Amino acid sequence: RRMRKWGAAMAGAVLPLSFTLTVPFPSCLEAQIAHDSLAPDAEPRRGGITKKLSVNGNILHVHWQAEEARILRVSVSSFLDLLSLAVQTMDRFGSPSSGQ
């Protein structure tokens, strides 16, 4: 009996989907600038998704967990657009250490 109840409960459970992105930058400073530029953008929806950003050396790490594939896809796509803009901006104004 216990196994049947447990199995029925698990059948209705939704395991979270997850996605992890690692982005190397030329320097630790540029990774931190990207983090600081992108971290304030919290997910607009309260439930269903979480996004965590961190920096380790010159690597920006981003990890998402979501209840639905659609929500995860939209969040990752939006983040990639913002990341692209941040990288283009850093390229346009030059490396912080190069003095350009």
Side-chain angles (χ1 to χ4, degrees), residues 26-78:
S27 71
C28 299
L29 180 58
E30 288 168 294
Q32 191 63 52
I33 289 170
H35 173 275
D36 294 347
S37 298
L38 299 166
D41 295 328
E43 293 300 323
R45 185 175 166 179
R46 285 281 178 199
I49 191 160
T50 59
K51 177 177 68 181
K52 295 180 183 174
L53 283 79
S54 62
V55 173
N56 186 0
N58 69 319
I59 308 291
L60 174 67
H61 299 273
V62 190
H63 181 76
W64 288 264
Q65 275 196 308
E67 295 172 1
E68 297 177 29
R70 179 183 56 84
I71 296 169
L72 180 61
R73 184 185 72 244
V74 169
S75 180
V76 171
S77 178
S78 175

Side-chain angles (χ1 to χ4, degrees), residues 10-18 65-69:
M10 287 305 292
V14 177
L15 297 176
L17 302 168
S18 65
Q65 275 196 308
E67 295 172 1
E68 297 177 29

Side-chain angles (χ1 to χ4, degrees), residues 2-14:
R2 282 188 184 169
M3 289 304 282
R4 277 191 207 154
K5 287 182 182 179
W6 185 79
M10 287 305 292
V14 177

